[in-house]
Amino acid sequence: SCVHPDTDKIIPVLFRPPAFLPVSLPLVIVSSLQLQAKQTFFSQFVFHTYTTAFTLLNGNGTTKDEEYSLQQKQILYGLGAIAYAACIGALPLVFMNRYTLKTPLTQLVVRRLLPAPLFGLMTAFTTAVVRSPEFENGIEVMDRNGNVVGVSRKAGEKVGRGETALSRAVLFGTTFFLPSALMYFVERAKLAKTPRALASVRMLVITSVLAGMLPVSLSMYPPCGEIKRADLEPEILSSTEETELFYNKGI
């Protein structure tokens, strides 16, 4: 968890897998409050900055870029994706406040129903964007003995656009949806008598869901992925007889 498997570089402490839960948890709690548009934008900007940096530092590190360094391109892509995701997350609150749409139904939709799918989609979007050089340039695929047999764009597309993005969407979409749904019934049943008790229950529920969903998300697609030989490019097919090849998916 400390050393990147492709580059052999030391991963900064806050971006190692064991630090993901304790660092992301308070960011998720703050981002779930949905108070004002400016506060929502800032909290989600910080959240997406951390998760995007985590994805960048724990992704596949074998691809090369001739014009720019790979990391510079990913940082530029990531900054644009982070700003866009934060704007989309705050947009429903902006419309609600601008047009004074504060009916109970509007409050339910904007503060309860929209955050979960938006958060899931935007997290998947930032993940796909920051790892886009992987399916643009390809990633190394190896045989069972760890010997590199080629660089595959198809494997990079499978990782960047599919597996990693989907696992992030499942993780944070569920983390926002389940607590919001459970807290709605807690409030309706008046199980928490005071605002402090309600806030404590909310934090406990979010912590439990995120802690439970994190291993589920990471285990959906193991860090060492497999791809069929028939799914690879012709130039790779001619260089090996292995029926299954492997690649580092990252986290």
Side-chain angles (χ1 to χ4, degrees), residues 200-213:
S200 299
V201 173
R202 181 188 297 276
M203 292 178 60
L204 178 61
V205 171
I206 293 176
T207 303
S208 301
V209 173
L210 181 59
M213 284 303 302

Side-chain angles (χ1 to χ4, degrees), residues 5 58 60 131 139 158-159 163-164 167 215-227 245-251:
N58 288 277
N60 186 283
R131 298 190 64 168
I139 61 175
K158 181 182 178 183
V159 172
E163 297 177 349
T164 309
S167 65
V216 174
S217 172
L218 295 181
S219 63
M220 287 177 62
Y221 303 102
C224 182
E226 299 181 13
I227 187 169
L245 296 172
F246 303 88
Y247 55 85
N248 173 37
K249 181 185 75 68
I251 297 176

Side-chain angles (χ1 to χ4, degrees), residues 58-219:
N58 288 277
N60 186 283
T62 61
T63 57
K64 307 297 181 183
D65 194 300
E66 296 180 357
E67 297 183 13
Y68 307 100
S69 73
L70 179 67
Q71 194 169 24
Q72 287 177 340
K73 176 177 284 190
Q74 288 178 306
I75 290 174
L76 291 175
Y77 285 177
L79 289 175
I82 290 166
Y84 178 78
C87 289
I88 293 297
L91 194 61
L93 290 173
V94 172
F95 275 103
M96 187 180 70
N97 295 330
R98 182 178 179 83
Y99 298 105
T100 63
L101 303 174
K102 297 184 179 180
T103 63
L105 178 60
T106 305
Q107 294 277 351
L108 175 64
V109 172
V110 172
R111 297 186 184 276
R112 301 282 186 179
L113 301 181
L114 278 180
L118 281 181
F119 227 78
L121 288 173
M122 288 301 100
T123 306
F125 169 73
T126 56
T127 300
V129 168
V130 78
R131 298 190 64 168
S132 59
E134 294 178 16
F135 50 80
E136 291 176 358
N137 305 322
I139 61 175
E140 291 180 348
V141 291
M142 302 164 286
D143 59 18
R144 295 184 180 275
N145 298 320
N147 300 315
V148 177
V149 297
V151 176
S152 170
R153 291 186 179 182
K154 292 184 177 181
E157 184 173 353
K158 181 182 178 183
V159 172
R161 287 182 176 175
E163 297 177 349
T164 309
L166 179 60
S167 65
R168 289 289 194 279
V170 170
L171 172 61
F172 291 109
T174 306
T175 300
F176 267 72
F177 174 73
L178 282 183
S180 180
L182 293 174
M183 290 307 301
Y184 175 77
F185 291 109
V186 169
E187 293 174 4
R188 289 290 298 271
K190 298 182 179 180
L191 298 178
K193 303 297 183 181
T194 64
R196 179 176 295 182
L198 190 64
S200 299
V201 173
R202 181 188 297 276
M203 292 178 60
L204 178 61
V205 171
I206 293 176
T207 303
S208 301
V209 173
L210 181 59
M213 284 303 302
L214 186 58
V216 174
S217 172
L218 295 181
S219 63

Side-chain angles (χ1 to χ4, degrees), residues 9 11 16 20 29 46 48 59 75 146 158 160 198-199 234:
K9 294 181 179 179
I11 301 173
R16 296 172 187 171
F20 187 72
I29 292 174
V46 175
H48 288 298
I75 290 174
K158 181 182 178 183
L198 190 64

